[in-house]
């Protein structure tokens, strides 16, 4: 195999060398042979010039003239080659104006030769060296994902300096071999401050000069000899489990598991999630605090007790940074790290005997855990999964019986209701049905969008709620017959079984080590020490996680009504009213869906842009002055989930991603009264006769219920509001002009007056109609209201209005 690799690299080196020699030597040789040198041998006389102009141009001269551009191109490439050789030797980047494409070509050839030479040398001449074993007074050492957990950086990681017109996709394709690996670069650098002081908060926006850390594919982890403490000497609570000794300061293991007072062990990623949840729970508790009245006096009330598992995790997490001579992450940084929308690929569930981390891939996971310590291990895994479930990154499905076993409480439904990502169904059959429904929906989405994996769908539309789905149930006959056919890695789904599973099973001993294992997912875990938690710690962690959720998300889902529901009159299952006070109506629901805040503003904005709007434009409208970040995709996920929950239409996007930058509403799922009003207005202009015009105006008038987005005050809606108000007024006044019912005419004109009180002509029509009907007192009151309105504006009525007012008020005087 090594010989084949060396031959392949040699062929690559030979090909690049041949191309360079062909350009630098072959091109000038061919030009000299067929066209001659471009330098004239002497200055031509006037007679020679005159003879050349009067006679046909010789073929050799024509060929020499045409060869001049080729000589110039060859000279420019030679200069670019010299510049790139100089830059390669000095280790810097040199840019020459007008030579960009040629420099890129020269750099590619030189880079290919350099890489081929380097790899041939490394593979042929080097011998593998086993790192020396380093004894440490610890039990577990693991790797930390610095982008998620905020852990200290690893030394000597490769760095890419961003160039103009760079993108994460281009960088990943050039440096990592595939543009699909751009998420790896984002995970290493997201939410970090760059050299110019800016925070890297959006993977679509990078600035020239930024230094982006890259994964080092050739780095090997040093093997670490681990000593377990004596059985009679308990480890101190809430302390990091791995510390380097003074004998080997250069090999510093990075901690990933932390002890808690109850004797459990949790992964560092779960610790960061618990710390962030505690911060958010305290924030929402303070936000909802009701101030006491003066009669109650002032009382100094201490903060509620923090669960021991949370308090111990926070202290150990901060101590980890202090040992690295770094400041612990602030509360804002904790919340920011926990609010990512990236779906996890795997999780750390323990450590091997040599101290290396045990990672479990989530997509396609098929693993059973049996033995006396199995339930504790599943609890430790659940804490990590559920603290990553925010923004629809992870969804855990289980049944009530298994939830009661894991939580140790019967009221598992009440506890799980406020925890995002945890769905407890009544029976195992219901859990399997839900799992199968999700699989069917995702297979349909993959087929419709011609994608090979659910990760490809997430890359195309980061706002699509496609969490990794993990089924946690006890294997029984029904599970054995149904689940085996449902597990499919490309759908982003997996199963964790509470017992023996034919595909893969780990026997977990009482000390939570894997004593025996079989199967593809089980064998790599043999001998590993796994994370674990008692039931009480899991309950405390889930309660804090539930308290960390804002009230708005709890109120988004509409409650099915009790009683008779009026017949649905709209062509789509969701109908959004944006004319007047915005409201979201759902089929088979009597009350409007409780969607508010930014989600409602997003719907109104998309109503104004039926052909779609870019992510940058939407972000600027909803978060003015702030660069686009993950907030947009997070908001989109929550909106889609609320609509999917209310309608029962699983797998529907409602807001469709036309490409990576443009989004529009799915017109087959969501309708707007604004769109219907615009269609009716167009139909008025093409109505063939008075009867059809009257019918169209009547339909349009039913939609004239108020100004656009009443209650919203954003600048982008103010620009669209008044033109639509005038259009409503025109519809109402034209319908009043054609209608024969005078009482209906008064109602229409009065509605138009409320929409636009500044148009005096509407007031005048109302007063004239009052007079014709003999309602002289109402006419006088209308005139007085008009005068009062004009006084507030410090203006006088127009001459035409003044005549109507004189007639109305004068008749009353007579």
């Amino acid at each position: 195999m090594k010989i084949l690799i060396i031959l392949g690299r040699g062929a690559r080196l030979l090909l690049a060398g041949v191309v360079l020699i062909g350009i630098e030597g072959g091109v000038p040789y061919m030009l000299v042979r067929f066209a001659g040198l471009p330098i004239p041998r002497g200055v031509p006389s006037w007679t020679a010039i005159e003879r050349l102009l009067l006679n046909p141009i010789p073929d050799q001269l024509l060929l020499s003239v045409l060869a001049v551009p080729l000589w110039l191109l060859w000279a420019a490439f030679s200069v670019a080659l010299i510049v790139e050789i100089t830059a390669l030797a000095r280790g810097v980047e040199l840019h020459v104006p007008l030579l960009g494409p040629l420099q890129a070509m020269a750099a590619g050839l030189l880079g290919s030769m350099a890489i081929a030479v380097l790899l041939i040398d490394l593979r042929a001449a080097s011998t593998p060296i086993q790192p020396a074993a380093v004894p440490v007074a610890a039990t577990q050492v693991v790797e930390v994902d610095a982008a998620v957990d905020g852990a200290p950086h690893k030394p000597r990681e490769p760095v890419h300096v961003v160039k103009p017109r760079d993108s994460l996709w281009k960088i990943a394709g050039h440096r990592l071999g595939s543009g699909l690996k751009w998420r790896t670069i984002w995970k290493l650098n997201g939410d970090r401050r760059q050299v110019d002081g800016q925070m890297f908060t959006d993977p679509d926006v990078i600035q020239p000069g930024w230094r982006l850390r890259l994964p080092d594919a050739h780095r090997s982890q040093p093997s670490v000899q681990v000593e377990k403490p004596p059985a009679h000497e308990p480890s101190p609570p809430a302390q990091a489990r791995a510390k380097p000794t003074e004998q080997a300061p250069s090999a510093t293991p990075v901690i990933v598991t932390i002890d808690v007072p109850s004797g459990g062990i949790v992964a560092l990623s779960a610790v960061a999630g618990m710390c962030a949840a505690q911060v958010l729970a305290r924030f929402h508790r303070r936000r909802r605090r009701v101030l006491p009245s003066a009669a109650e006096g002032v009382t100094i009330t201490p903060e509620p007790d923090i669960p021991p598992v949370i308090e111990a995790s926070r202290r150990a997490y901060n101590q980890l940074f202090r040992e690295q001579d770094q400041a612990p992450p602030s509360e804002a940084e904790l919340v920011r790290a926990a609010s990512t929308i990236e779906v996890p690929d795997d999780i750390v569930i323990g450590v091997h005997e040599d101290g290396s981390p045990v990672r479990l891939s989530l997509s396609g996971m098929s693993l059973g855990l049996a033995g006396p310590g199995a339930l504790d291990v599943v609890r430790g895994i659940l804490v990590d999964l559920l603290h990553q479930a925010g923004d629809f990154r992870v969804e855990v499905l289980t049944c009530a019986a298994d939830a009661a076993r894991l939580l140790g409480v019967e009221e598992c439904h009440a506890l799980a209701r406020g925890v995002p990502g945890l769905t407890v169904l009544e029976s195992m059959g219901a859990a399997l049905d839900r799992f199968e429904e999700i699989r069917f929906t995702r297979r349909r989405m993959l087929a419709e969008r011609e994608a090979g994996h659910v990760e490809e769908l997430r890359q195309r539309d980061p706002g699509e709620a496609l969490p990794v789905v993990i089924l946690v149930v006890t294997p029984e006959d029904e599970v054995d017959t149904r689940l085996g056919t449902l597990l499919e890695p490309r759908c982003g789904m997996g199963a964790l079984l509470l017992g023996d599973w034919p595909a893969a099973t780990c026997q977990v001993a009482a000390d939570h080590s894997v004593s025996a294992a079989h199967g593809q997912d089980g064998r790599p875990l043999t001998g590993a020490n796994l994370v674990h938690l008692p039931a009480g710690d899991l309950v405390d962690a889930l309660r804090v996680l539930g308290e960390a959720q804002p009230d708005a998300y709890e109120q988004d889902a509409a409650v099915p009504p009790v009683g008779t529901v009026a017949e649905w009159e709209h062509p789509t299952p969701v109908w959004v009213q944006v004319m007047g006070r915005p409201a979201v109506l759902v089929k088979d629901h009597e009350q409007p869906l409780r969607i508010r805040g930014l989600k409602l503003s997003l719907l109104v904005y998309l109503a104004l842009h039926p052909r779609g709007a870019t992510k940058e434009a939407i972000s600027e409208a909803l978060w003015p002055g702030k660069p686009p970040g993950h907030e947009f995709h997070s908001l989109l996920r929550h909106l889609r989930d609320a609509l999917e929950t209310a309608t029962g239409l699983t797998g529907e996007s409602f807001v469709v991603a036309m490409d990576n930058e443009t989004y529009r509403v799915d017109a087959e799922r969501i309708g707007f009264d604004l769109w219907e009003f615009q269609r009716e207005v167009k139909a008025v202009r093409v109505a063939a006769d008075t009867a059809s015009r009257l019918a169209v105006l009547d339909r349009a008038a039913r939609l004239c219920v108020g100004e656009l987005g009443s209650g919203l005050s954003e600048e982008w809606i103010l620009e669209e509001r008044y033109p639509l108000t005038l259009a409503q007024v025109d519809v109402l006044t034209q319908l009043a002009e054609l209608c024969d019912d005078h009482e209906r005419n008064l109602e229409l004109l009065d509605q138009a007056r409320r929409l636009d009180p500044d148009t005096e002509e509407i007031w005048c029509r109302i007063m004239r109609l009052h007079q014709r009907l003999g309602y002289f007192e109402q006419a006088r009151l209308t005139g007085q209201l008009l005068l009062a309105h004009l006084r507030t504006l410090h203006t006088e009525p127009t001459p035409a209005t003044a005549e109507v007012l004189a007639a109305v008020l004068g008749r009353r005087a007579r």
Side-chain angles (χ1 to χ4, degrees):
M1 178 60 72
K2 291 185 177 180
I3 295 176
L4 293 177
I5 294 175
I6 294 173
L7 290 176
R9 301 297 177 181
R12 182 177 179 180
L13 173 63
L14 180 62
L15 179 60
V18 169
V19 172
L20 274 179
I21 294 174
I23 294 176
E24 288 301 302
V27 170
Y29 172 77
M30 298 298 292
L31 290 176
V32 170
R33 180 176 180 180
F34 293 103
L37 291 172
I39 304 174
R41 300 178 179 178
V43 179
S45 62
W46 177 256
T47 303
I49 296 175
E50 185 178 18
R51 187 183 308 112
L52 178 64
L53 295 175
L54 294 177
N55 295 317
I57 299 177
D59 294 340
Q60 184 63 31
L61 179 60
L62 181 62
L63 187 61
S64 299
V65 172
L66 295 177
V68 170
L70 296 178
W71 279 109
L72 294 177
L73 184 62
W74 172 82
F77 178 80
S78 300
V79 173
L81 183 62
I82 295 172
V83 169
E84 288 301 318
I85 293 175
T86 304
L88 184 63
R90 295 173 56 187
V92 297
E93 293 188 7
L94 300 177
H95 297 281
V96 179
L98 304 179
L99 294 184
L102 296 177
Q103 274 192 262
M105 181 179 177
L109 291 172
L110 291 175
S112 299
M113 295 180 65
I115 292 174
V117 171
L118 179 60
L119 291 179
I120 290 174
D121 181 68
L122 288 176
R123 295 181 182 274
S126 64
T127 58
I129 301 176
Q130 295 294 335
V134 181
V136 294
T139 56
Q140 295 174 352
V141 229
V142 237
E143 178 186 1
V144 176
D145 187 353
V148 177
D149 301 328
H153 295 181
K154 299 178 184 179
R156 297 184 181 179
E157 288 185 316
V159 174
H160 176 83
V161 180
V162 178
K163 305 180 183 66
R165 296 183 298 278
D166 260 354
S167 66
L168 294 188
W169 182 277
K170 293 174 61 177
I171 296 172
H174 179 63
R175 301 294 297 269
L176 305 182
S178 172
L180 296 175
K181 297 181 179 180
W182 67 270
R183 290 180 180 272
T184 305
I185 304 177
W186 166 243
K187 288 181 179 179
L188 288 175
N189 299 273
D191 294 320
R192 293 191 173 275
R193 195 171 300 279
Q194 294 295 322
V195 292
D196 58 356
Q198 299 187 56
M199 290 293 293
F200 186 16
T201 58
D202 186 357
D204 294 333
V205 180
I206 57 177
Q207 301 297 335
W210 283 8
R211 299 176 64 84
L212 302 181
R213 299 162 52 209
L214 301 176
D216 190 353
H218 301 290
R219 183 190 306 144
S220 60
Q221 294 289 343
S223 61
V224 181
Q225 182 179 347
V226 182
E227 297 180 358
K228 294 186 178 181
H232 65 274
E233 183 179 343
S235 57
Q239 295 297 322
R241 299 178 63 96
K243 296 181 181 179
T245 64
E246 297 179 357
Q247 300 173 355
S250 60
T252 304
V254 184
I255 304 164
V256 83
T257 58
I258 290 178
D259 289 349
V260 293
S262 61
I265 300 173
V266 290
L268 191 61
S269 54
V271 171
M274 287 190 285
C275 295
Q278 176 62 28
V279 171
L280 285 171
R282 185 174 67 246
F283 165 72
H284 291 303
R285 183 172 61 251
R286 294 175 179 177
R287 182 171 63 92
R288 295 188 291 261
R289 176 175 174 264
V290 178
L291 297 177
S293 64
E296 299 179 48
V298 178
T299 304
I300 300 177
T301 305
E303 283 282 301
D305 293 335
I306 300 176
V309 63
I310 306 293
E311 180 64 22
S313 299
R314 176 65 170 169
R315 290 180 180 177
Y317 191 60
N318 290 341
Q319 182 63 26
L320 169 65
F321 284 85
R322 295 190 184 98
E323 291 176 356
Q324 300 290 335
D325 295 329
Q326 295 188 17
S330 64
E331 294 185 351
E333 290 172 338
L334 281 173
V335 174
R336 189 183 305 114
S339 62
T340 177
I341 63 173
E342 301 297 331
V343 177
D345 300 323
D346 54 26
I347 58 171
V348 174
I349 65 169
V351 291
H352 292 291
E353 293 181 350
D354 62 353
S356 59
V358 177
R359 293 187 177 273
L360 189 63
S361 179
L362 297 179
S363 294
M365 177 178 64
S366 176
L367 179 65
L369 295 174
L375 288 182
D376 289 342
V377 171
V378 174
R379 295 184 187 108
I381 295 174
L382 283 181
V383 165
D384 199 356
L385 288 175
L386 294 177
H387 277 93
Q388 299 187 60
D391 286 326
F392 310 98
R393 289 174 286 172
V394 177
E395 181 178 356
V396 176
L397 297 176
T398 187
C399 61
D402 290 324
R405 291 179 61 195
L406 292 170
L407 300 177
V409 292
E410 294 299 331
E411 59 273 14
C412 54
H413 281 289
L415 181 61
R417 189 173 297 117
V419 179
L422 179 59
T423 303
V424 178
L425 297 150
E426 290 295 336
S427 63
M428 183 182 300
L432 288 172
D433 290 342
R434 172 63 178 161
F435 195 76
E436 187 172 7
E437 179 185 354
I438 296 174
R439 174 180 175 271
F440 174 80
T441 300
R442 295 193 174 183
R443 286 173 61 92
R444 177 176 58 82
M445 294 173 66
L446 291 172
E448 290 177 350
R449 304 179 191 181
E450 298 181 352
H453 196 279
V454 71
E455 178 63 22
E456 187 176 347
L457 296 180
R458 297 190 188 113
Q459 292 175 0
R460 293 181 184 177
D461 184 7
E464 183 73 72
L466 293 171
V468 57
V469 181
I470 305 298
L471 178 67
V472 181
V473 292
T474 300
E476 296 180 357
D477 293 339
E478 183 180 4
V479 178
D480 292 343
T481 56
R482 295 180 59 184
L483 187 58
T485 61
L486 297 179
L487 293 175
E488 193 171 358
R490 71 190 191 106
C491 292
M493 306 171 71
L496 190 63
L497 289 308
L498 307 179
D500 290 312
W501 177 241
T505 300
C506 291
Q507 294 295 328
V508 183
D511 63 351
H512 306 100
S513 63
V514 180
S515 57
H518 74 271
Q520 181 178 357
D521 289 344
R523 281 190 295 269
L525 276 62
T526 304
N529 294 317
L530 304 183
V531 297
H532 55 276
L533 270 183
D537 284 354
L538 176 60
V539 171
D540 289 340
L542 295 187
R543 282 176 178 162
V544 172
L545 187 58
E547 294 172 359
Q549 306 309 309
D551 294 338
Y553 295 156
E554 299 174 2
Q555 298 175 358
D556 276 345
V559 179
V562 178
T564 305
V565 180
E567 184 179 354
W568 187 251
E569 301 177 352
H570 308 293
T572 56
V574 178
W575 187 258
V576 183
Q577 297 177 356
V578 298
M579 299 176 69
R581 184 165 294 277
V584 182
L585 307 177
V586 180
K587 187 178 181 180
D588 298 330
H589 288 75
E590 187 176 6
Q591 299 297 326
L593 187 65
R594 289 184 292 235
I595 285 184
R596 60 198 67 187
L598 290 175
K599 291 186 284 297
L600 187 59
S601 297
L602 175 59
L603 283 175
V604 176
Y605 187 87
L606 293 175
L608 296 174
H609 300 82
R611 296 184 178 179
T614 63
K615 181 179 68 175
E616 286 74 13
I618 298 174
S619 299
E620 179 61 28
L622 301 184
W623 298 278
K626 184 178 180 180
H630 71 274
E631 293 86 357
F632 167 74
H633 296 302
S634 178
L635 176 68
L636 192 56
R637 288 188 179 188
H638 284 284
L639 174 61
R640 286 168 167 171
D641 180 72
L643 296 176
E644 180 178 318
T645 302
T647 60
L649 299 174
T650 58
E652 301 297 339
S653 295
F654 294 98
V655 178
V656 182
M658 301 171 62
D659 50 46
N660 292 336
E661 296 295 330
T662 307
Y663 292 81
R664 64 171 177 82
V665 166
D666 184 355
E668 296 182 358
R669 299 288 179 263
I670 302 179
F672 293 91
D673 58 347
L674 173 61
W675 294 359
E676 184 175 353
F677 176 76
Q678 292 170 338
R679 287 193 295 266
E680 299 296 351
V681 168
K682 292 181 180 179
V684 169
R685 296 196 297 266
V686 297
D689 50 37
T690 302
S692 59
R693 186 181 183 88
L694 186 62
V696 175
L697 286 172
D698 184 69
R699 293 196 300 269
R702 299 179 188 276
L703 301 170
C704 300
V705 296
E707 64 180 9
L708 175 69
S710 177
L712 302 179
S713 57
E714 287 78 1
E715 291 186 3
W716 51 268
I717 201 170
L718 297 179
E719 299 173 356
E720 305 284 347
R721 178 171 287 167
Y722 191 62
L724 282 171
T725 299
L726 294 183
Q728 294 182 66
V729 169
D730 292 345
V731 166
L732 295 171
T733 55
Q734 290 182 22
L735 181 59
E737 182 180 344
L738 297 177
C739 184
D740 296 332
D741 187 347
H742 296 304
E743 295 295 337
R744 174 83 189 282
N745 292 346
L746 281 177
E747 294 177 1
L748 294 170
L749 291 174
D750 190 60
Q751 185 179 353
R753 177 189 62 82
R754 290 194 300 268
L755 283 171
D756 186 18
D758 296 337
T759 302
E760 297 180 15
E761 173 63 22
I762 302 176
W763 296 84
C764 294
R765 291 190 181 187
I766 294 174
M767 289 185 287
R768 294 193 193 100
L769 185 55
H770 277 149
Q771 286 184 312
R772 285 200 300 269
L773 297 176
Y775 301 156
F776 303 116
E777 183 64 21
Q778 287 87 339
R780 184 185 68 85
L781 291 175
T782 302
Q784 290 179 346
L785 287 175
L786 173 58
L787 289 175
H789 177 69
L790 294 176
R791 290 192 194 101
T792 61
L793 301 177
H794 302 283
T795 187
E796 296 292 335
T798 63
T801 303
E803 292 182 6
V804 176
L805 287 173
V808 169
L809 299 179
R811 184 176 184 84
R812 172 62 182 171
R814 290 192 297 271

